[in-house]
Amino acid sequence: MKKQLLSIILALLMLFSLPAVSHSASAEVSSGQCGDNLYWVFDEHTGTLTVTGNGAMWEFDRDANTPPWYAFRESIVNVDLREGVTGIGDYAFDQCTGIETVSIPNSVTSIGEAAFFRCRALKEIVFPNAVTEIGRYAFCECEHLKEVVIPNSVTTVSEGLFYRCTLLGSVVIGNGATKIGDSAFSFCWRLTTVTIGNSVTSIGQDAFRSCNLTEIRFPDSVTRIGRNAFIYCGNLTEINIPDNVTNIGVGAFESCINLKSVIIGNGVEFIYGYT
């Protein structure tokens, strides 16, 4: 009986003397594949997610096919995409609310739908000149972006691209874009300055809804201004619509209560109600 009791005591002593197992060590650095020839690693110490390799990312979504770093979406602070990456997948960094910086190499040609949706801490984005396509809602609700330059290589300012970027104050749209999509800059309440490239022909519905614009200069290329395009731009004081514009949609300038000067070109055929 004494031997049995002694064995139990020794076993307990050994159990309590074992070093504690750290669960954080294995979580500090995680890695995997995110494209046919792309690989990612996340360093928890620095908050940096790095993507290396060649080619485009896989496409992701919010359901069963979330990106492989989804578990870290609130911990990622920096995104470092290395030269060789050609495409950023749909929903790649969707709701990564802690991202502050993104490095996009010159090799990237496309940015997918909702790729940076609700990256609320993102302060700056620099597009390489190789980018030709930026998907719908790619930077929707990136609330800390303050200025954006869309390069000449981009052909369409997509629907909802910068929707509700509430600190965005300045936008330059390159000369390659032919269309500004619906709600592209809706509810960018601090947006005061917009430069529209000289190839834009169409400005979509609600494109600049509730912005803080004081003046808008349309290039001669514009032929259509969509429904509610500038509705509730309460500080807009001057409008000069070029001769090539043939259609102005319903409510295009509704509730622009401080308008003092309006010049409508000779080409306008339709001005719909409540404009």
Side-chain angles (χ1 to χ4, degrees), residues 7-255:
S7 298
I8 293 172
I9 292 171
L10 288 172
L12 288 172
L13 287 171
M14 290 177 66
L15 178 64
F16 287 110
S17 66
L18 289 173
V21 176
S22 173
H23 295 286
S24 62
S26 61
E28 285 175 357
V29 178
S30 295
S31 60
Q33 193 169 2
C34 57
D36 292 347
N37 293 293
L38 292 182
Y39 302 88
W40 68 278
V41 59
F42 176 61
D43 187 332
E44 189 172 347
H45 288 304
T46 63
T48 300
L49 187 144
T50 304
V51 178
T52 59
N54 292 282
M57 285 183 193
W58 292 324
E59 306 294 355
F60 307 109
D61 57 44
R62 289 179 180 164
D63 299 318
N65 186 32
T66 55
W69 45 79
Y70 188 73
F72 303 105
R73 66 190 180 279
E74 295 180 358
S75 303
I76 300 170
V77 177
N78 311 299
V79 175
D80 183 7
L81 307 177
R82 299 291 176 85
E83 193 70 29
V85 178
T86 61
I88 301 172
D90 291 354
Y91 295 88
F93 300 100
D94 173 35
Q95 302 187 77
C96 290
T97 54
I99 290 178
E100 295 180 6
T101 67
V102 176
S103 176
I104 303 178
N106 291 327
S107 53
V108 169
T109 61
S110 66
I111 299 172
E113 178 177 331
F116 294 92
F117 186 99
R118 204 168 287 167
C119 290
R120 288 177 167 158
L122 183 61
K123 298 176 181 178
E124 182 182 17
I125 189 74
V126 178
F127 298 109
N129 290 327
V131 170
T132 59
E133 180 182 359
I134 307 173
R136 301 185 316 146
Y137 298 97
F139 295 90
C140 175
E141 296 187 29
C142 290
E143 296 174 349
H144 278 80
L145 281 178
K146 292 184 178 180
E147 58 183 44
V148 167
V149 176
I150 298 173
N152 293 335
S153 53
V154 174
T155 57
T156 299
V157 180
S158 299
E159 177 185 352
L161 183 55
F162 294 98
Y163 180 91
R164 212 176 281 275
C165 290
T166 52
L167 291 182
L168 188 62
S170 172
V171 170
V172 175
I173 299 171
N175 291 328
T178 61
K179 177 182 178 181
I180 299 175
D182 294 351
S183 301
F185 301 96
S186 282
F187 302 107
C188 293
W189 293 316
R190 296 195 183 184
L191 184 59
T192 59
T193 304
V194 174
T195 301
I196 300 177
N198 57 24
S199 296
V200 170
T201 61
S202 174
I203 299 174
Q205 177 176 322
D206 294 298
F208 293 93
R209 184 186 185 104
S210 298
C211 290
N212 197 34
L213 298 172
T214 57
E215 182 182 0
I216 185 73
R217 293 183 181 274
F218 300 103
D220 290 338
S221 56
V222 172
T223 61
R224 177 184 173 275
I225 299 172
R227 178 188 182 99
N228 296 335
F230 295 90
I231 190 173
Y232 299 125
C233 289
N235 288 324
L236 194 61
T237 60
E238 180 182 334
I239 298 171
N240 190 336
I241 298 173
D243 289 340
N244 286 334
V245 173
T246 58
N247 288 272
I248 301 175
V250 173
F253 299 98
E254 183 179 345
S255 298

